[in-house]
Amino acid sequence: MGSPVSLLRHGQPHHVLSTWLGIYRMATPGLISADNATLRLDLDNEPQPDLLLCLPAAVGGRSRITEDGYLEGPPELVLEVAASSVSYDLHQKLDVYRRSGVQEYLVHRVEDGEVDWFVLEHGTYERIQPDGEGILSSLVFPGLWLDVSALLRGDLQALRAVVERGLADPEHAALSRRLALP
């Protein structure tokens, strides 16, 4: 039997974040996404992130699905919901993901009511800053926009509306065309 997981401190926030990512994934066929799948980064590190999103290798993704069904190599985006694991997620895991080349790392710090979205620049994670409306935007996945306030409230309708605004970005259309090519 697994460790106990709090509904309020993990289960519901995880579901909201997963739904947000799923809205984007549904509108962007060809991406690889997963929930709680083991990720083989190297011989010493096989984390099981809450969520992940990858580009397929054919369009520049750096991970691959192995013969035995595991994801090997760094996904472009890893997402964690952190309550009691904040220290681990913002130190040990952050360092493993950075060293492995994960381009973006999002940590939803439930108890702090904060979201940290990091982007890998020159071997170092830098925090992505929200725009004037409090929206965080992926630098790897065009149109993947996050209304932090809506996430913290668990407002799925507002999250969907912001993702839909992001999906209207011409760069998202360009990514969708790239993903549609054989």
Side-chain angles (χ1 to χ4, degrees):
M1 183 166 306
S3 299
V5 176
S6 166
L7 175 73
L8 297 178
R9 293 172 54 213
H10 190 88
Q12 284 183 333
H14 178 105
H15 176 74
V16 172
L17 196 60
S18 178
T19 300
W20 165 76
L21 192 63
I23 293 166
Y24 182 81
R25 171 65 181 79
M26 185 173 54
T28 318
L31 294 177
I32 300 163
S33 60
D35 184 319
N36 285 307
T38 298
L39 174 59
R40 293 179 175 163
L41 294 174
D42 58 39
L43 294 175
D44 297 320
N45 294 287
E46 292 187 344
Q48 188 176 331
D50 287 323
L51 300 161
L52 59 84
L53 188 63
C54 308
L55 292 167
V59 295
R62 296 178 49 219
S63 55
R64 68 180 191 87
I65 300 171
T66 63
E67 284 185 22
D68 57 351
Y70 288 91
L71 191 67
E72 187 173 81
E76 281 63 43
L77 174 61
V78 168
L79 306 95
E80 297 283 2
V81 175
S84 60
S85 64
V86 168
S87 180
Y88 181 64
D89 290 331
L90 288 177
H91 294 96
Q92 291 96 329
K93 274 190 176 179
L94 181 137
D95 194 45
V96 166
Y97 292 145
R98 179 194 56 77
R99 284 193 327 263
S100 299
V102 172
Q103 293 298 303
E104 294 186 340
Y105 180 42
L106 185 149
V107 180
H108 175 6
R109 292 186 285 132
V110 176
E111 291 183 353
D112 298 334
E114 298 286 337
V115 174
D116 300 303
W117 195 332
F118 301 96
V119 63
L120 191 61
E121 293 183 358
H122 309 292
T124 303
Y125 273 135
E126 301 292 333
R127 274 191 176 86
I128 296 175
Q129 297 302 314
D131 67 12
E133 296 180 52
I135 308 298
L136 291 170
S137 302
S138 173
L139 302 180
V140 174
F141 295 100
L144 182 57
W145 295 2
L146 176 63
D147 180 337
V148 173
S149 158
L151 176 69
L152 297 176
R153 292 190 318 270
D155 185 342
L156 295 173
Q157 295 298 333
L159 285 169
R160 185 178 79 186
V162 169
V163 171
E164 288 173 352
R165 283 179 34 210
L167 295 173
D169 186 319
E171 289 184 34
H172 179 263
L175 173 62
S176 294
R177 285 191 300 275
R178 281 182 34 224
L179 290 166
L181 296 175

